[in-house]
Amino acid sequence: MFTEISPGSRMAADPQTGPEVPGLELVWSGHVPSHAAEARRYEHWLDAAERERLASLRRTEDRDRCRTAHVALRRLLADHLGGDPAEVVIRRAPCFVCGGPHGRPVIPRDPVHFSLSHAGDQLLIALATEPVGVDVEKVPDATAVTELAGTLHPAERSALDGMSGMRRRIAFTRCWSRKEALLKGTGAGLNAGLATVCSGVEAVPAQPEGWRVADLPAAAGYAAACAVKRR
């Protein structure tokens, strides 16, 4: 069952089970304003890299989003692994493209795989037994959809051409969230190019070889998805 933590509850207090996707153990969603004050109290959990990233953000809302996301992630990882959130060691895997130390975030020796996403005032975190990616996206306006549609897979562009209005905007967002989740899971990120994989724009996601892709419940005006590597 996928459930958003209600306002006022302890951040990431009770792990929420994800949809029926093999390998996916937990999905947690959060509303940034509901948890921002609590996250400030636990900012000391963050490591040097997270603090540096936080300090680089100028807008208060961006800092709140970043802080809340990483505090929630550390809480969930600590609950899963057993230990102190401040002592969870998060490293970067080698980059999919260049091999440098800036690939997807990992726990040394991979006792659990995880992924984090945020958009607008929404957060999304997943833990899994296999490499995983999650993404949440806010539905863009029609102009943005038109500008970005050309970056998608040819089959996706063709399907969108037959849609209009809100249906087109929602279909685009659904597709984009699936695609980003998949590219996060592989570790390629956007470096691989959005046109290189087809995640589909229709109600049922496409299933790229070696991966399971599923849509996740999301707040009104958002779309969310996960991708979990097949064993």
Side-chain angles (χ1 to χ4, degrees), residues 8-136:
S9 64
R10 187 172 77 95
M11 181 182 297
D14 299 312
Q16 305 298 321
T17 304
E20 295 299 322
V21 179
L24 184 63
E25 293 192 324
L26 176 155
V27 176
W28 182 86
S29 71
H31 178 241
V32 174
S34 299
H35 300 296
E38 182 181 10
R40 293 186 198 105
R41 296 200 299 272
Y42 294 108
E43 186 177 324
H44 61 278
W45 288 350
L46 304 184
D47 64 19
E50 290 166 327
R51 290 171 184 268
E52 182 178 358
R53 167 63 176 159
L54 188 62
S56 71
L57 302 174
R58 295 186 177 184
R59 300 195 309 167
T60 299
E61 54 266 42
D62 291 338
R63 291 195 299 272
D64 281 344
R65 187 183 303 112
C66 178
R67 182 190 298 109
T68 304
H70 287 275
V71 166
L73 174 63
R74 285 184 166 274
R75 171 91 79 181
L76 289 169
L77 289 172
D79 287 348
H80 182 87
L81 298 170
D84 188 326
E87 295 177 358
V88 173
V89 177
I90 299 175
R91 295 287 184 259
R92 288 281 180 173
C95 173
F96 180 86
V97 177
C98 69
H102 47 261
R104 66 187 180 89
V106 296
I107 303 291
R109 296 178 295 280
D110 292 329
V112 62
H113 298 271
F114 63 93
S115 183
L116 179 157
S117 180
H118 48 72
D121 60 8
Q122 297 296 306
L123 305 175
L124 187 62
I125 297 171
L127 306 186
T129 59
E130 306 295 330
V132 61
V134 294
D135 190 63
V136 58

Side-chain angles (χ1 to χ4, degrees), residues 156-177:
E156 295 163 344
R157 296 200 301 267
S158 178
L160 282 176
D161 285 343
M163 301 179 186
S164 61
M166 182 56 74
R167 178 170 176 249
R168 174 180 164 88
R169 292 168 59 194
I170 291 174
F172 168 85
T173 313
R174 185 165 54 202
C175 172
W176 194 280
S177 66

Side-chain angles (χ1 to χ4, degrees), residues 21-22 24 115 126 128 130-135 177-186 206-208 210-216 224-230:
V21 179
L24 184 63
S115 183
E130 306 295 330
V132 61
V134 294
D135 190 63
S177 66
R178 294 167 181 170
K179 196 179 298 283
E180 285 226 32
L182 180 62
L183 293 174
K184 285 182 181 180
T186 65
Q207 299 296 317
W211 290 84
R212 292 185 175 90
V213 179
D215 293 334
L216 299 175
C226 69
V228 183
K229 189 174 183 180
R230 294 177 185 267

